[in-house]
Amino acid sequence: MSKSICGWTGKVLHIDLTTREMAAQYPARPVYEKYLGGKGLAGYYLRPYCTLETEEPDLPILVFAGPLTGTIAPTSGRGTIMSRSPLTGAICDASVGGKLPTQLKRAGWDGLIITGSSDTPCGIEIENDDIRIVETDLWGETCDKVFDQLDAKDRAVATIGPAAENGARIAAIMVDRHHAAGRGGLGLVWAQKNLKYLSVKGTGKIRIHDKEALKEAREEIFRLTAASPVLLGQHGFSCWGTGSVYDLMDSRRMMPTDNFRNTRFPQASKLNAAAYQKAYTPRKHGCKGCHILCKKIAQDGRSMPEFETMSHFTALINNTDMDLVMQAGDLCNRLGMDTISAGATLACYREITGEDFTPRTLIKALYDMAEGGYLGQGSYDFDKSCERPELSMSVKGMELPAYDPRGAYGMSLAYAMSTRGGCHLRAYPISHEILRKPVTTDRFSFSGKARIIKIAEDQNAVVDSLTACKFTFFAASLEEYAKAFTAVTGTPSSAHDLLEIGERIYYNERIMNAENGFEICDDDLPPRFFTEPGTSGGGIEIKPLDRAEFEQARANYYKVRGLDKYGRPTKETTKRLGLEVD
């Protein structure tokens, strides 16, 4: 590792699978300070190639850690996998945990740039400065079989499964068995390069500028998270997993039911986190260095479903069989498929055919998805083939997660503005509209939401670049993490400084999407949300969204984001953020 830089290793590894050539790149410090790492630095390296089709060898796969990764900063064991999405055509990044980002950083690399395409199925094996591209006979094996063969305590493994190998556009990348880079079909990009797995082991240490200041920032974050009921409370994420919000979403009339035709699921109270806890007595698990441990592992070793998986394999498809949810989630993990897109696509199929799923037909449908079937291309492609594209509950072709936008207007705007498509994590307004963190906002109003969404997108871009876990920000803020960043790197930074970097990172994504033809018509929601009400009751009325109010909120967003009236980047904002191309 470089002795002249703190926080970063100072090295990025470029691997060409076609030529088998490998080269270290040494980004200048100003590049690091401008893009941080993780999502930011990955976007910096993706932009020159962002218009390439996913099957073109020169399109890179980016795997990046951040400056906090590998340090004692809380929840910093995350990283980013990024490329262009085969599902949407937009840029796509996935925040992923497990051991992979930490091992990559300890191996001496801030990131990997993987280009080219191997003639035969291969794996990449990294141990510090020893990098090998190896032929593999694991092609065709399920993800669990790959982990059985390669997994080790001191080694991180990321792999694709049969879904990616067979061309599914909803294919995921599974990491360290229980973690997924799930959305946007990034697994298919790996398969198109004949890359089966990535294995990383690192033994180095990260240089810290001011260890005592880092300890102080760490303690501040620990104190704040300890006081958070959502994170570490008796019924919070640490105890119950993200499924702890299952009942809450249903009671707030926000549970997507019957392919978003309704917003209340009558059987929800029997399928909540407490029911899973009683049935499967799971143990806690989490990303490297995390104290929240929101992941849950059943006694038989299967990953417990997170909230979106719980919801999409119950309410969205009208299933009340809890063990079938476990089977479906586990099967998706083994085949390497995004559970959100899989569940949402099945919901579309059910609405079009009018047929309910049985345990047998549901499992068969998931296998068909992974074996090259038409449902594996996602709901939008399937619904277009049936001449019913309006039944795909997606944005930019990516299926929506388990929060009905009619019950949280900020969420509706966040879905539409998301650079990767139907995603709740770009801005996550559920934090203030439902969970009331850090403060409560009126969930049935667009007032002020444009600026709130923009600022939240900037913040989360920073979080995914430092890197840290978004859940931590139910309790902590960028103020504490600015202190940690300063302590680690020696670069004096405030929360405001980091937000400016986040704005640059997010605007860079808008630029890349614009280069691929995305504009105002893509920043929209399915028509159902403007024409059909949700399920009212309990003193809560779920009305259709008002189209005029939504369009005004979108126009307001474009203004505060520095876009033109069609949602396209402007020369002025591009120049202000230092994003011009020479």
Side-chain angles (χ1 to χ4, degrees):
M1 296 185 187
S2 169
K3 294 183 179 181
S4 61
I5 195 166
C6 290
W8 299 283
T9 69
K11 295 190 300 180
V12 172
L13 177 62
H14 185 185
I15 300 173
D16 189 323
L17 295 177
T18 301
T19 64
R20 296 299 206 259
E21 292 178 350
M22 306 165 200
Q25 300 180 9
Y26 303 90
R29 188 175 182 108
V31 173
Y32 282 113
E33 294 180 346
K34 193 173 180 180
Y35 294 97
L36 298 178
K39 169 190 173 88
L41 206 52
Y44 167 76
Y45 282 106
L46 176 62
R47 186 172 165 189
Y49 309 97
C50 68
T51 59
L52 296 178
E53 298 300 324
T54 60
E55 65 270 16
E56 293 188 57
D58 286 342
L59 180 73
I61 297 166
L62 296 312
V63 185
F64 273 78
L68 299 187
T69 308
T71 74
I72 63 169
T75 73
S76 59
R78 299 190 66 82
T80 292
I81 300 178
M82 191 175 196
S83 193
R84 189 179 178 196
S85 167
L87 180 67
T88 68
I91 60 94
C92 185
D93 60 280
S95 172
V96 68
K99 297 176 290 186
L100 178 63
T102 301
Q103 289 295 332
L104 180 64
K105 191 83 172 289
R106 288 179 176 172
W109 306 103
D110 289 312
L112 306 178
I113 304 170
I114 304 170
T115 59
S117 179
S118 176
D119 291 334
T120 57
C122 70
I124 296 174
E125 298 182 354
I126 298 173
E127 185 168 347
N128 299 323
D129 288 331
D130 181 21
I131 301 103
R132 296 185 298 154
I133 301 171
V134 298
E135 292 188 4
T136 181
D137 59 1
L138 291 172
W139 197 264
E141 295 287 358
T142 55
C143 296
D144 57 308
K145 298 298 184 184
V146 176
F147 291 126
D148 286 345
Q149 183 159 330
L150 300 178
D151 204 9
K153 266 190 174 183
D154 59 350
R155 180 178 296 277
V157 177
T159 186
I160 58 171
E165 297 164 359
N166 293 323
R169 293 181 189 168
I170 62 172
I173 301 162
M174 297 304 299
V175 177
D176 296 330
R177 199 178 296 268
H178 300 295
H179 305 264
R183 310 240 54 200
L186 291 175
L188 179 54
V189 185
W190 282 42
Q192 289 168 333
K193 294 183 180 300
N194 258 337
L195 176 61
K196 177 64 175 181
Y197 70 85
L198 167 67
S199 171
V200 185
K201 177 181 179 180
T203 58
K205 294 183 178 180
I206 312 305
R207 295 186 67 241
I208 307 299
H209 173 73
D210 188 336
K211 293 182 180 180
E212 289 305 313
L214 178 58
K215 288 179 182 178
E216 289 179 13
R218 180 174 186 253
E219 288 305 313
E220 286 185 37
I221 296 167
F222 278 163
R223 283 195 294 270
L224 289 166
T225 55
S228 169
V230 174
L231 296 179
L232 295 175
Q234 185 178 0
H235 302 292
F237 287 4
S238 182
C239 291
W240 298 94
T242 60
S244 61
V245 302
Y246 190 89
D247 281 329
L248 179 63
M249 292 301 124
D250 188 64
S251 67
R252 296 295 189 272
R253 297 322 198 251
M254 282 193 61
M255 181 76 81
T257 304
D258 294 331
N259 198 28
F260 286 86
R261 282 178 282 182
N262 300 300
T263 57
R264 184 86 198 279
F265 188 48
Q267 292 80 22
S269 62
K270 299 178 181 178
L271 296 163
N272 57 19
Y276 282 88
Q277 183 82 13
K278 182 178 180 180
Y280 301 102
T281 56
R283 59 181 173 84
K284 292 183 179 182
H285 178 71
C287 302
K288 183 72 173 177
C290 182
H291 64 292
I292 297 170
L293 302 177
C294 68
K295 292 280 186 183
K296 301 292 172 279
I297 310 299
Q299 293 297 311
D300 61 8
R302 291 183 294 176
S303 297
M304 298 296 295
E306 297 195 26
F307 167 62
E308 283 76 18
T309 305
M310 290 170 62
S311 176
H312 275 22
F313 281 112
T314 56
L316 202 65
I317 61 172
N318 194 32
N319 167 51
T320 58
D321 184 338
M322 187 164 55
D323 193 57
L324 183 56
V325 178
M326 289 289 292
Q327 292 179 52
D330 181 62
L331 184 58
C332 285
N333 289 347
R334 289 190 286 114
L335 297 174
M337 282 196 302
D338 174 18
T339 57
I340 295 176
S341 286
T345 302
L346 293 179
C348 288
Y349 177 86
R350 176 175 174 266
E351 180 171 359
I352 288 174
T353 63
E355 299 175 2
D356 282 327
F357 288 102
T358 66
R360 185 187 66 81
T361 60
L362 177 60
I363 297 302
K364 181 179 183 300
L366 292 175
Y367 272 113
D368 288 345
M369 283 181 175
E371 291 170 358
Y374 49 82
L375 291 180
Q377 305 310 305
S379 66
Y380 187 70
D381 190 77
F382 168 67
D383 288 358
K384 276 200 307 181
S385 71
C386 297
E387 299 183 349
R388 299 295 302 278
E390 75 280 3
L391 297 186
S392 171
M393 298 298 106
S394 61
V395 172
K396 301 178 180 70
M398 180 183 282
E399 291 77 12
L400 299 180
Y403 308 91
D404 194 290
R406 289 164 294 194
Y409 291 9
M411 190 77 259
S412 72
L413 188 62
Y415 280 155
M417 298 304 105
S418 166
T419 50
R420 74 170 184 174
C423 173
H424 59 300
L425 293 173
R426 281 297 199 258
Y428 205 68
I430 294 302
S431 61
H432 51 86
E433 290 186 316
I434 301 298
L435 301 177
R436 303 173 182 178
K437 306 296 179 184
V439 295
T440 304
T441 62
D442 183 355
R443 65 182 174 119
F444 294 115
S445 171
F446 283 110
S447 178
K449 296 296 172 67
R451 188 172 297 277
I452 291 172
I453 295 303
K454 186 265 184 189
I455 293 172
E457 288 171 341
D458 295 346
Q459 172 175 292
N460 285 345
V462 172
V463 173
D464 285 340
S465 302
L466 284 173
T467 56
C469 176
K470 297 182 187 72
F471 292 158
T472 313
F473 289 79
F474 290 147
S477 71
L478 279 186
E479 289 187 19
E480 290 77 37
Y481 274 89
K483 293 178 183 178
F485 174 72
T486 299
V488 169
T489 66
T491 301
S493 298
S494 65
H496 184 266
D497 295 331
L498 292 180
L499 276 177
E500 287 185 344
I501 296 173
E503 182 182 15
R504 177 182 302 113
I505 292 167
Y506 205 81
Y507 206 83
N508 189 48
E509 295 178 3
R510 294 287 312 198
I511 290 173
M512 288 190 279
N513 277 353
E515 290 179 5
N516 283 301
F518 287 84
E519 54 175 276
I520 188 170
C521 61
D522 302 293
D523 292 338
D524 209 346
L525 296 171
R528 167 164 288 164
F529 300 121
F530 300 103
T531 60
E532 301 176 23
T535 309
S536 300
I540 303 172
E541 184 178 7
I542 305 296
K543 300 177 182 179
L545 294 171
D546 184 284
R547 165 60 78 175
E549 291 182 2
F550 170 82
E551 291 180 352
Q552 183 58 58
R554 181 174 62 188
N556 293 342
Y557 173 89
Y558 288 166
K559 185 175 181 179
V560 298
R561 177 57 76 191
L563 304 166
D564 70 15
K565 65 180 181 179
Y566 300 107
R568 298 174 303 206
T570 66
K571 291 181 180 179
E572 294 78 12
T573 307
T574 300
K575 182 177 180 180
R576 175 175 63 83
L577 295 174
L579 290 168
E580 312 102 309
V581 175
D582 295 332

